Short mmCIF file of all heavy atoms in Angstrom, two decimals:
data_model
loop_
_atom_site.label_atom_id
_atom_site.label_comp_id
_atom_site.label_asym_id
_atom_site.label_seq_id
_atom_site.Cartn_x
_atom_site.Cartn_y
_atom_site.Cartn_z
N MET A 599 0.85 -1.17 0.00
CA MET A 599 0.00 0.00 0.00
C MET A 599 0.89 1.23 0.00
O MET A 599 1.93 1.27 0.63
CB MET A 599 -0.90 -0.02 1.22
CG MET A 599 -1.78 1.21 1.31
SD MET A 599 -2.89 1.19 2.69
CE MET A 599 -4.12 0.12 2.03
N SER A 600 0.46 2.24 -0.70
CA SER A 600 1.29 3.43 -0.83
C SER A 600 1.27 4.26 0.45
O SER A 600 0.38 4.15 1.29
CB SER A 600 0.80 4.27 -2.00
OG SER A 600 -0.44 4.86 -1.69
N LEU A 601 2.28 5.09 0.56
CA LEU A 601 2.43 5.94 1.73
C LEU A 601 1.30 6.96 1.81
O LEU A 601 0.82 7.28 2.91
CB LEU A 601 3.79 6.63 1.70
CG LEU A 601 4.12 7.52 2.88
CD1 LEU A 601 4.20 6.69 4.15
CD2 LEU A 601 5.42 8.24 2.63
N CYS A 602 0.86 7.45 0.67
CA CYS A 602 -0.21 8.45 0.65
C CYS A 602 -1.52 7.87 1.20
O CYS A 602 -2.21 8.51 1.99
CB CYS A 602 -0.42 8.95 -0.78
SG CYS A 602 -1.66 10.23 -0.93
N CYS A 603 -1.84 6.64 0.80
CA CYS A 603 -3.06 6.00 1.31
C CYS A 603 -2.97 5.77 2.81
O CYS A 603 -3.94 5.96 3.53
CB CYS A 603 -3.30 4.68 0.59
SG CYS A 603 -3.80 4.86 -1.11
N ARG A 604 -1.81 5.34 3.26
CA ARG A 604 -1.62 5.10 4.70
C ARG A 604 -1.78 6.39 5.49
O ARG A 604 -2.40 6.41 6.55
CB ARG A 604 -0.25 4.48 4.92
CG ARG A 604 0.11 4.12 6.32
CD ARG A 604 -0.54 2.87 6.88
NE ARG A 604 -0.45 1.71 6.06
CZ ARG A 604 0.42 0.71 6.22
NH1 ARG A 604 1.29 0.75 7.19
NH2 ARG A 604 0.39 -0.33 5.44
N CYS A 605 -1.23 7.50 4.97
CA CYS A 605 -1.36 8.79 5.65
C CYS A 605 -2.81 9.27 5.69
O CYS A 605 -3.26 9.81 6.70
CB CYS A 605 -0.48 9.83 4.97
SG CYS A 605 1.27 9.57 5.22
N LEU A 606 -3.53 9.05 4.62
CA LEU A 606 -4.95 9.41 4.61
C LEU A 606 -5.76 8.57 5.59
O LEU A 606 -6.66 9.07 6.26
CB LEU A 606 -5.52 9.28 3.20
CG LEU A 606 -5.10 10.35 2.21
CD1 LEU A 606 -5.64 10.03 0.82
CD2 LEU A 606 -5.59 11.71 2.66
N GLU A 607 -5.45 7.29 5.70
CA GLU A 607 -6.13 6.44 6.67
C GLU A 607 -5.85 6.90 8.09
O GLU A 607 -6.74 6.90 8.94
CB GLU A 607 -5.70 4.98 6.51
CG GLU A 607 -6.29 4.33 5.29
CD GLU A 607 -5.77 2.93 5.09
OE1 GLU A 607 -4.79 2.53 5.76
OE2 GLU A 607 -6.34 2.22 4.24
N ILE A 608 -4.61 7.30 8.37
CA ILE A 608 -4.27 7.79 9.71
C ILE A 608 -4.99 9.11 9.98
O ILE A 608 -5.50 9.33 11.09
CB ILE A 608 -2.75 7.94 9.86
CG1 ILE A 608 -2.11 6.56 9.86
CG2 ILE A 608 -2.38 8.69 11.12
CD1 ILE A 608 -0.60 6.56 9.80
N LEU A 609 -5.08 9.99 8.99
CA LEU A 609 -5.80 11.25 9.16
C LEU A 609 -7.29 11.00 9.44
O LEU A 609 -7.87 11.61 10.33
CB LEU A 609 -5.63 12.13 7.92
CG LEU A 609 -6.34 13.48 7.96
CD1 LEU A 609 -5.75 14.35 9.06
CD2 LEU A 609 -6.25 14.16 6.63
N ILE A 610 -7.88 10.09 8.71
CA ILE A 610 -9.29 9.75 8.94
C ILE A 610 -9.45 9.10 10.31
O ILE A 610 -10.43 9.35 11.01
CB ILE A 610 -9.82 8.83 7.82
CG1 ILE A 610 -9.91 9.62 6.52
CG2 ILE A 610 -11.17 8.26 8.17
CD1 ILE A 610 -10.20 8.79 5.30
N ALA A 611 -8.47 8.28 10.73
CA ALA A 611 -8.53 7.65 12.04
C ALA A 611 -8.45 8.68 13.17
O ALA A 611 -9.01 8.46 14.24
CB ALA A 611 -7.43 6.63 12.19
N ILE A 612 -7.77 9.78 12.95
CA ILE A 612 -7.72 10.83 13.96
C ILE A 612 -9.05 11.56 14.04
O ILE A 612 -9.52 11.89 15.13
CB ILE A 612 -6.55 11.80 13.68
CG1 ILE A 612 -5.22 11.06 13.90
CG2 ILE A 612 -6.63 13.03 14.55
CD1 ILE A 612 -4.01 11.83 13.45
N LEU A 613 -9.68 11.79 12.90
CA LEU A 613 -10.97 12.48 12.90
C LEU A 613 -12.12 11.58 13.33
O LEU A 613 -12.93 11.96 14.17
CB LEU A 613 -11.24 13.06 11.50
CG LEU A 613 -10.23 14.08 11.00
CD1 LEU A 613 -10.54 14.45 9.56
CD2 LEU A 613 -10.22 15.30 11.89
N LEU A 614 -12.21 10.39 12.76
CA LEU A 614 -13.25 9.40 13.07
C LEU A 614 -12.59 8.03 13.18
O LEU A 614 -12.46 7.33 12.17
CB LEU A 614 -14.33 9.38 11.99
CG LEU A 614 -15.15 10.64 11.82
CD1 LEU A 614 -15.97 10.58 10.56
CD2 LEU A 614 -16.04 10.85 13.02
N PRO A 615 -12.17 7.64 14.37
CA PRO A 615 -11.39 6.41 14.52
C PRO A 615 -12.04 5.15 13.94
O PRO A 615 -11.36 4.41 13.23
CB PRO A 615 -11.19 6.30 16.03
CG PRO A 615 -11.32 7.68 16.54
CD PRO A 615 -12.29 8.36 15.63
N PRO A 616 -13.32 4.87 14.18
CA PRO A 616 -13.87 3.64 13.60
C PRO A 616 -13.89 3.63 12.07
O PRO A 616 -13.72 2.58 11.45
CB PRO A 616 -15.30 3.58 14.15
CG PRO A 616 -15.26 4.38 15.38
CD PRO A 616 -14.27 5.47 15.11
N LEU A 617 -14.06 4.78 11.46
CA LEU A 617 -14.06 4.85 10.00
C LEU A 617 -12.68 4.53 9.43
O LEU A 617 -12.56 3.84 8.42
CB LEU A 617 -14.53 6.23 9.52
CG LEU A 617 -14.60 6.43 8.02
CD1 LEU A 617 -15.61 5.45 7.41
CD2 LEU A 617 -14.98 7.85 7.70
N GLY A 618 -11.64 5.00 10.08
CA GLY A 618 -10.29 4.68 9.63
C GLY A 618 -9.99 3.20 9.70
O GLY A 618 -9.40 2.62 8.79
N VAL A 619 -10.43 2.56 10.78
CA VAL A 619 -10.24 1.11 10.92
C VAL A 619 -11.10 0.37 9.91
O VAL A 619 -10.69 -0.63 9.34
CB VAL A 619 -10.54 0.67 12.36
CG1 VAL A 619 -10.49 -0.84 12.49
CG2 VAL A 619 -9.56 1.30 13.33
N CYS A 620 -12.30 0.87 9.67
CA CYS A 620 -13.20 0.24 8.70
C CYS A 620 -12.60 0.28 7.30
O CYS A 620 -12.70 -0.70 6.57
CB CYS A 620 -14.55 0.94 8.72
SG CYS A 620 -15.73 0.31 7.54
N LEU A 621 -11.98 1.36 6.92
CA LEU A 621 -11.38 1.45 5.60
C LEU A 621 -10.20 0.49 5.44
O LEU A 621 -9.96 -0.03 4.36
CB LEU A 621 -10.91 2.88 5.33
CG LEU A 621 -12.01 3.92 5.16
CD1 LEU A 621 -11.40 5.31 5.03
CD2 LEU A 621 -12.87 3.60 3.96
N ARG A 622 -9.48 0.25 6.51
CA ARG A 622 -8.30 -0.61 6.45
C ARG A 622 -8.64 -2.09 6.59
O ARG A 622 -8.11 -2.93 5.88
CB ARG A 622 -7.31 -0.20 7.54
CG ARG A 622 -6.09 -1.03 7.63
CD ARG A 622 -5.07 -0.57 6.66
NE ARG A 622 -3.83 -1.28 6.91
CZ ARG A 622 -3.07 -1.74 5.95
NH1 ARG A 622 -3.39 -1.53 4.71
NH2 ARG A 622 -1.98 -2.38 6.25
N HIS A 623 -9.56 -2.42 7.51
CA HIS A 623 -9.81 -3.82 7.85
C HIS A 623 -11.20 -4.31 7.48
O HIS A 623 -11.44 -5.51 7.47
CB HIS A 623 -9.59 -4.05 9.34
CG HIS A 623 -8.18 -3.91 9.75
ND1 HIS A 623 -7.26 -4.92 9.60
CD2 HIS A 623 -7.49 -2.86 10.28
CE1 HIS A 623 -6.09 -4.51 10.04
NE2 HIS A 623 -6.20 -3.26 10.45
N GLY A 624 -12.14 -3.42 7.24
CA GLY A 624 -13.51 -3.83 6.97
C GLY A 624 -14.41 -3.52 8.16
O GLY A 624 -13.94 -3.31 9.27
N CYS A 625 -15.70 -3.52 7.92
CA CYS A 625 -16.64 -3.09 8.95
C CYS A 625 -17.13 -4.20 9.87
O CYS A 625 -17.78 -3.92 10.86
CB CYS A 625 -17.85 -2.42 8.30
SG CYS A 625 -17.43 -0.85 7.56
N CYS A 626 -16.87 -5.43 9.55
CA CYS A 626 -17.34 -6.54 10.39
C CYS A 626 -16.18 -7.30 11.00
O CYS A 626 -16.21 -8.52 11.11
CB CYS A 626 -18.23 -7.48 9.58
SG CYS A 626 -19.76 -6.71 9.07
N THR A 627 -15.15 -6.58 11.40
CA THR A 627 -13.98 -7.22 11.98
C THR A 627 -13.90 -6.91 13.47
O THR A 627 -14.53 -5.97 13.96
CB THR A 627 -12.69 -6.74 11.30
OG1 THR A 627 -12.59 -5.33 11.46
CG2 THR A 627 -12.68 -7.09 9.83
N LEU A 628 -13.12 -7.70 14.16
CA LEU A 628 -12.93 -7.49 15.59
C LEU A 628 -12.25 -6.16 15.86
O LEU A 628 -12.60 -5.46 16.82
CB LEU A 628 -12.10 -8.64 16.17
CG LEU A 628 -11.84 -8.60 17.66
CD1 LEU A 628 -13.15 -8.70 18.43
CD2 LEU A 628 -10.90 -9.71 18.06
N GLU A 629 -11.31 -5.77 15.01
CA GLU A 629 -10.62 -4.50 15.19
C GLU A 629 -11.58 -3.32 15.13
O GLU A 629 -11.47 -2.37 15.89
CB GLU A 629 -9.52 -4.32 14.13
CG GLU A 629 -8.33 -5.20 14.30
CD GLU A 629 -8.51 -6.55 13.64
OE1 GLU A 629 -9.54 -6.77 12.97
OE2 GLU A 629 -7.63 -7.40 13.81
N PHE A 630 -12.55 -3.39 14.21
CA PHE A 630 -13.53 -2.32 14.08
C PHE A 630 -14.38 -2.20 15.33
O PHE A 630 -14.60 -1.10 15.84
CB PHE A 630 -14.43 -2.55 12.86
CG PHE A 630 -15.56 -1.59 12.76
CD1 PHE A 630 -15.35 -0.29 12.35
CD2 PHE A 630 -16.85 -1.97 13.11
CE1 PHE A 630 -16.40 0.62 12.27
CE2 PHE A 630 -17.90 -1.09 13.03
CZ PHE A 630 -17.67 0.20 12.61
N PHE A 631 -14.85 -3.32 15.85
CA PHE A 631 -15.73 -3.27 17.02
C PHE A 631 -14.98 -2.85 18.28
O PHE A 631 -15.53 -2.14 19.13
CB PHE A 631 -16.43 -4.62 17.23
CG PHE A 631 -17.47 -4.87 16.18
CD1 PHE A 631 -17.32 -5.91 15.28
CD2 PHE A 631 -18.59 -4.06 16.08
CE1 PHE A 631 -18.27 -6.14 14.31
CE2 PHE A 631 -19.55 -4.28 15.11
CZ PHE A 631 -19.40 -5.32 14.22
N ILE A 632 -13.73 -3.24 18.41
CA ILE A 632 -12.92 -2.77 19.54
C ILE A 632 -12.72 -1.27 19.45
O ILE A 632 -12.84 -0.54 20.44
CB ILE A 632 -11.58 -3.51 19.60
CG1 ILE A 632 -11.79 -4.97 19.97
CG2 ILE A 632 -10.62 -2.84 20.59
CD1 ILE A 632 -10.53 -5.81 19.87
N CYS A 633 -12.43 -0.79 18.25
CA CYS A 633 -12.23 0.65 18.06
C CYS A 633 -13.52 1.42 18.33
O CYS A 633 -13.50 2.49 18.92
CB CYS A 633 -11.72 0.92 16.65
SG CYS A 633 -11.31 2.64 16.38
N LEU A 634 -14.64 0.88 17.89
CA LEU A 634 -15.92 1.52 18.14
C LEU A 634 -16.21 1.61 19.63
O LEU A 634 -16.62 2.66 20.14
CB LEU A 634 -17.03 0.76 17.42
CG LEU A 634 -18.43 1.35 17.49
CD1 LEU A 634 -18.49 2.68 16.77
CD2 LEU A 634 -19.42 0.37 16.89
N LEU A 635 -15.97 0.53 20.35
CA LEU A 635 -16.18 0.53 21.79
C LEU A 635 -15.27 1.51 22.50
O LEU A 635 -15.71 2.27 23.37
CB LEU A 635 -15.97 -0.88 22.34
CG LEU A 635 -16.12 -1.04 23.85
CD1 LEU A 635 -17.58 -0.84 24.24
CD2 LEU A 635 -15.63 -2.39 24.29
N LEU A 636 -13.99 1.53 22.12
CA LEU A 636 -13.05 2.47 22.74
C LEU A 636 -13.40 3.92 22.42
O LEU A 636 -13.22 4.80 23.25
CB LEU A 636 -11.62 2.15 22.30
CG LEU A 636 -11.00 0.91 22.90
CD1 LEU A 636 -9.66 0.63 22.25
CD2 LEU A 636 -10.84 1.05 24.40
N THR A 637 -13.91 4.16 21.23
CA THR A 637 -14.30 5.52 20.86
C THR A 637 -15.53 5.96 21.64
O THR A 637 -15.63 7.13 22.04
CB THR A 637 -14.56 5.61 19.35
OG1 THR A 637 -13.40 5.18 18.65
CG2 THR A 637 -14.88 7.04 18.93
N ILE A 638 -16.44 5.05 21.89
CA ILE A 638 -17.62 5.39 22.69
C ILE A 638 -17.22 5.66 24.14
O ILE A 638 -17.73 6.60 24.77
CB ILE A 638 -18.66 4.24 22.62
CG1 ILE A 638 -19.28 4.21 21.22
CG2 ILE A 638 -19.75 4.41 23.67
CD1 ILE A 638 -20.15 2.99 20.96
N LEU A 639 -16.29 4.86 24.66
CA LEU A 639 -15.85 5.06 26.05
C LEU A 639 -14.98 6.30 26.21
O LEU A 639 -14.98 6.92 27.27
CB LEU A 639 -15.09 3.83 26.53
CG LEU A 639 -15.93 2.56 26.67
CD1 LEU A 639 -15.05 1.38 27.05
CD2 LEU A 639 -17.04 2.75 27.68
N GLY A 640 -14.24 6.65 25.19
CA GLY A 640 -13.39 7.83 25.24
C GLY A 640 -12.77 8.06 23.88
O GLY A 640 -12.29 7.12 23.24
N TYR A 641 -12.78 9.28 23.44
CA TYR A 641 -12.31 9.58 22.09
C TYR A 641 -10.82 9.31 21.92
O TYR A 641 -10.39 8.75 20.91
CB TYR A 641 -12.64 11.03 21.76
CG TYR A 641 -12.41 11.41 20.33
CD1 TYR A 641 -13.20 10.89 19.32
CD2 TYR A 641 -11.40 12.30 19.99
CE1 TYR A 641 -12.99 11.22 18.01
CE2 TYR A 641 -11.19 12.66 18.67
CZ TYR A 641 -11.99 12.11 17.68
OH TYR A 641 -11.77 12.45 16.38
N LEU A 642 -10.02 9.67 22.89
CA LEU A 642 -8.57 9.50 22.80
C LEU A 642 -8.15 8.02 22.75
O LEU A 642 -7.30 7.66 21.92
CB LEU A 642 -7.87 10.22 23.95
CG LEU A 642 -6.36 10.26 23.87
CD1 LEU A 642 -5.90 10.99 22.62
CD2 LEU A 642 -5.79 10.92 25.12
N PRO A 643 -8.71 7.12 23.57
CA PRO A 643 -8.35 5.70 23.41
C PRO A 643 -8.74 5.14 22.05
O PRO A 643 -8.03 4.30 21.50
CB PRO A 643 -9.14 5.00 24.52
CG PRO A 643 -9.40 6.04 25.52
CD PRO A 643 -9.53 7.32 24.76
N GLY A 644 -9.83 5.62 21.47
CA GLY A 644 -10.22 5.19 20.13
C GLY A 644 -9.21 5.62 19.09
O GLY A 644 -8.89 4.85 18.18
N ILE A 645 -8.71 6.83 19.21
CA ILE A 645 -7.70 7.33 18.26
C ILE A 645 -6.41 6.52 18.40
O ILE A 645 -5.82 6.11 17.39
CB ILE A 645 -7.42 8.82 18.50
CG1 ILE A 645 -8.62 9.65 18.11
CG2 ILE A 645 -6.19 9.28 17.70
CD1 ILE A 645 -8.48 11.12 18.46
N ILE A 646 -5.98 6.30 19.62
CA ILE A 646 -4.72 5.56 19.83
C ILE A 646 -4.83 4.15 19.27
O ILE A 646 -3.93 3.67 18.56
CB ILE A 646 -4.37 5.54 21.34
CG1 ILE A 646 -4.03 6.95 21.81
CG2 ILE A 646 -3.22 4.57 21.61
CD1 ILE A 646 -3.91 7.09 23.30
N TYR A 647 -5.94 3.48 19.54
CA TYR A 647 -6.12 2.12 19.03
C TYR A 647 -6.22 2.11 17.50
O TYR A 647 -5.65 1.24 16.85
CB TYR A 647 -7.34 1.47 19.65
CG TYR A 647 -7.55 0.05 19.19
CD1 TYR A 647 -6.75 -0.96 19.67
CD2 TYR A 647 -8.52 -0.26 18.24
CE1 TYR A 647 -6.91 -2.27 19.24
CE2 TYR A 647 -8.69 -1.56 17.80
CZ TYR A 647 -7.88 -2.56 18.31
OH TYR A 647 -8.03 -3.84 17.86
N ALA A 648 -6.93 3.06 16.93
CA ALA A 648 -7.09 3.10 15.48
C ALA A 648 -5.75 3.31 14.78
O ALA A 648 -5.45 2.62 13.79
CB ALA A 648 -8.07 4.20 15.09
N VAL A 649 -4.94 4.21 15.27
CA VAL A 649 -3.63 4.45 14.66
C VAL A 649 -2.75 3.21 14.82
O VAL A 649 -2.05 2.81 13.89
CB VAL A 649 -2.97 5.71 15.25
CG1 VAL A 649 -1.53 5.84 14.79
CG2 VAL A 649 -3.76 6.95 14.87
N TYR A 650 -2.81 2.58 15.98
CA TYR A 650 -2.04 1.35 16.19
C TYR A 650 -2.45 0.25 15.21
O TYR A 650 -1.60 -0.40 14.61
CB TYR A 650 -2.23 0.86 17.64
CG TYR A 650 -1.78 -0.55 17.84
CD1 TYR A 650 -0.42 -0.87 17.89
CD2 TYR A 650 -2.69 -1.58 17.96
CE1 TYR A 650 0.00 -2.18 18.05
CE2 TYR A 650 -2.28 -2.89 18.13
CZ TYR A 650 -0.94 -3.18 18.17
OH TYR A 650 -0.53 -4.48 18.33
N VAL A 651 -3.75 0.06 15.04
CA VAL A 651 -4.23 -1.00 14.15
C VAL A 651 -3.87 -0.70 12.69
O VAL A 651 -3.48 -1.59 11.95
CB VAL A 651 -5.76 -1.17 14.32
CG1 VAL A 651 -6.35 -2.00 13.21
CG2 VAL A 651 -6.06 -1.80 15.65
N ILE A 652 -3.96 0.54 12.29
CA ILE A 652 -3.65 0.89 10.90
C ILE A 652 -2.16 0.73 10.62
O ILE A 652 -1.77 0.23 9.56
CB ILE A 652 -4.13 2.33 10.59
CG1 ILE A 652 -5.65 2.36 10.55
CG2 ILE A 652 -3.54 2.84 9.29
CD1 ILE A 652 -6.23 3.74 10.45
N VAL A 653 -1.33 1.10 11.56
CA VAL A 653 0.12 1.06 11.33
C VAL A 653 0.70 -0.33 11.49
O VAL A 653 1.52 -0.76 10.68
CB VAL A 653 0.83 2.06 12.28
CG1 VAL A 653 2.34 1.89 12.23
CG2 VAL A 653 0.44 3.48 11.94
N SER A 654 0.25 -1.11 12.47
CA SER A 654 0.99 -2.33 12.78
C SER A 654 0.27 -3.64 12.49
O SER A 654 0.93 -4.66 12.36
CB SER A 654 1.40 -2.32 14.26
OG SER A 654 0.24 -2.37 15.06
N VAL A 655 -1.04 -3.68 12.38
CA VAL A 655 -1.75 -4.94 12.16
C VAL A 655 -1.95 -5.15 10.66
O VAL A 655 -2.50 -4.29 9.97
CB VAL A 655 -3.10 -4.95 12.90
CG1 VAL A 655 -3.86 -6.22 12.59
CG2 VAL A 655 -2.89 -4.79 14.39
N ASP A 656 -1.51 -6.29 10.15
CA ASP A 656 -1.62 -6.61 8.74
C ASP A 656 -2.93 -7.37 8.49
O ASP A 656 -3.09 -8.49 8.98
CB ASP A 656 -0.44 -7.46 8.30
CG ASP A 656 -0.44 -7.77 6.82
OD1 ASP A 656 -1.08 -7.01 6.06
OD2 ASP A 656 0.19 -8.75 6.43
N PRO A 657 -3.87 -6.79 7.76
CA PRO A 657 -5.15 -7.48 7.55
C PRO A 657 -5.03 -8.72 6.67
O PRO A 657 -5.82 -9.64 6.80
CB PRO A 657 -6.02 -6.43 6.87
CG PRO A 657 -5.09 -5.46 6.26
CD PRO A 657 -3.86 -5.48 7.12
N ASP A 658 -4.04 -8.79 5.80
CA ASP A 658 -3.89 -9.95 4.92
C ASP A 658 -3.47 -11.20 5.68
O ASP A 658 -3.79 -12.31 5.28
CB ASP A 658 -2.88 -9.65 3.82
CG ASP A 658 -3.37 -8.57 2.88
OD1 ASP A 658 -4.61 -8.46 2.73
OD2 ASP A 658 -2.54 -7.85 2.32
N GLN A 659 -2.78 -11.04 6.79
CA GLN A 659 -2.35 -12.18 7.58
C GLN A 659 -3.56 -12.96 8.10
O GLN A 659 -3.58 -14.17 8.06
CB GLN A 659 -1.49 -11.72 8.75
CG GLN A 659 -1.08 -12.83 9.69
CD GLN A 659 -0.34 -12.31 10.89
OE1 GLN A 659 -0.19 -11.11 11.07
NE2 GLN A 659 0.12 -13.21 11.72
N TYR A 660 -4.58 -12.25 8.57
CA TYR A 660 -5.75 -12.92 9.10
C TYR A 660 -6.66 -13.43 7.99
O TYR A 660 -7.33 -14.44 8.16
CB TYR A 660 -6.52 -11.96 10.02
CG TYR A 660 -5.71 -11.55 11.21
CD1 TYR A 660 -5.23 -10.25 11.34
CD2 TYR A 660 -5.40 -12.47 12.20
CE1 TYR A 660 -4.48 -9.89 12.43
CE2 TYR A 660 -4.64 -12.11 13.29
CZ TYR A 660 -4.19 -10.82 13.41
OH TYR A 660 -3.43 -10.46 14.48
N ARG A 661 -6.70 -12.78 6.88
CA ARG A 661 -7.54 -13.23 5.78
C ARG A 661 -7.03 -14.53 5.19
O ARG A 661 -7.81 -15.37 4.75
CB ARG A 661 -7.62 -12.15 4.71
CG ARG A 661 -8.45 -10.98 5.15
CD ARG A 661 -8.64 -9.98 4.04
NE ARG A 661 -9.36 -8.84 4.55
CZ ARG A 661 -9.07 -7.60 4.28
NH1 ARG A 661 -8.08 -7.33 3.45
NH2 ARG A 661 -9.76 -6.61 4.79
N LYS A 662 -5.73 -14.74 5.16
CA LYS A 662 -5.17 -15.98 4.64
C LYS A 662 -5.65 -17.16 5.49
O LYS A 662 -6.04 -18.19 4.97
CB LYS A 662 -3.65 -15.94 4.65
CG LYS A 662 -3.05 -15.07 3.58
CD LYS A 662 -1.54 -15.09 3.71
CE LYS A 662 -0.91 -13.98 2.91
NZ LYS A 662 0.53 -13.88 3.14
N GLU A 663 -5.60 -17.00 6.81
CA GLU A 663 -6.03 -18.07 7.69
C GLU A 663 -7.53 -18.32 7.58
O GLU A 663 -7.98 -19.44 7.69
CB GLU A 663 -5.66 -17.74 9.13
CG GLU A 663 -4.16 -17.70 9.37
CD GLU A 663 -3.82 -17.18 10.75
OE1 GLU A 663 -4.75 -16.94 11.55
OE2 GLU A 663 -2.63 -17.00 11.04
N TYR A 664 -8.29 -17.28 7.37
CA TYR A 664 -9.73 -17.41 7.30
C TYR A 664 -10.18 -18.11 6.02
O TYR A 664 -11.11 -18.91 6.04
CB TYR A 664 -10.37 -16.02 7.38
CG TYR A 664 -11.86 -16.05 7.36
CD1 TYR A 664 -12.57 -16.46 8.48
CD2 TYR A 664 -12.58 -15.67 6.23
CE1 TYR A 664 -13.95 -16.50 8.47
CE2 TYR A 664 -13.95 -15.70 6.22
CZ TYR A 664 -14.65 -16.10 7.33
OH TYR A 664 -16.00 -16.13 7.32
N TYR A 665 -9.51 -17.84 4.91
CA TYR A 665 -9.94 -18.38 3.63
C TYR A 665 -9.25 -19.69 3.25
O TYR A 665 -9.51 -20.23 2.18
CB TYR A 665 -9.73 -17.35 2.51
CG TYR A 665 -10.67 -16.20 2.61
CD1 TYR A 665 -10.22 -14.91 2.83
CD2 TYR A 665 -12.04 -16.39 2.48
CE1 TYR A 665 -11.09 -13.85 2.92
CE2 TYR A 665 -12.92 -15.35 2.58
CZ TYR A 665 -12.45 -14.07 2.80
OH TYR A 665 -13.31 -13.03 2.89
N GLN A 666 -8.40 -20.21 4.09
CA GLN A 666 -7.74 -21.48 3.78
C GLN A 666 -8.80 -22.58 3.82
O GLN A 666 -9.75 -22.55 4.60
CB GLN A 666 -6.65 -21.80 4.78
CG GLN A 666 -5.39 -21.02 4.55
CD GLN A 666 -4.33 -21.40 5.57
OE1 GLN A 666 -4.62 -21.98 6.60
NE2 GLN A 666 -3.10 -21.01 5.30
N THR A 667 -8.60 -23.58 2.99
CA THR A 667 -9.52 -24.71 3.00
C THR A 667 -9.32 -25.56 4.24
O THR A 667 -8.24 -25.59 4.83
CB THR A 667 -9.32 -25.58 1.76
OG1 THR A 667 -7.98 -26.04 1.74
CG2 THR A 667 -9.62 -24.79 0.49
N LEU A 668 -10.35 -26.26 4.63
CA LEU A 668 -10.25 -27.10 5.82
C LEU A 668 -9.44 -28.36 5.56
O LEU A 668 -8.79 -28.88 6.45
CB LEU A 668 -11.65 -27.47 6.30
CG LEU A 668 -12.50 -26.31 6.79
CD1 LEU A 668 -13.90 -26.79 7.12
CD2 LEU A 668 -11.87 -25.67 8.02
N TYR A 669 -9.51 -28.85 4.34
CA TYR A 669 -8.80 -30.08 4.00
C TYR A 669 -7.82 -29.78 2.86
O TYR A 669 -8.16 -29.13 1.90
CB TYR A 669 -9.78 -31.16 3.57
CG TYR A 669 -10.78 -31.49 4.64
CD1 TYR A 669 -12.07 -31.02 4.56
CD2 TYR A 669 -10.40 -32.23 5.75
CE1 TYR A 669 -13.00 -31.30 5.54
CE2 TYR A 669 -11.33 -32.52 6.73
CZ TYR A 669 -12.62 -32.06 6.63
OH TYR A 669 -13.51 -32.33 7.61
N PRO A 670 -6.61 -30.32 2.96
CA PRO A 670 -5.62 -30.05 1.90
C PRO A 670 -5.90 -30.71 0.59
O PRO A 670 -6.59 -31.48 0.27
CB PRO A 670 -4.31 -30.56 2.48
CG PRO A 670 -4.64 -31.32 3.69
CD PRO A 670 -6.05 -31.05 4.05
#
């Protein structure tokens, strides 16, 4: 992913933390719901978690495990 897209996601995560996570990981993921809960409980924890998830968590790593077949 390009640096420009990553910077825009971080900017959106600062303004609306769940939306930034939704753009990076999708709207029905555990990361999104954690970010939504943290944003409801406090805006600053939501921002911190959203930036952390966007910068360090790789969404493709979890998708590979999810879409693997059950039998080889």
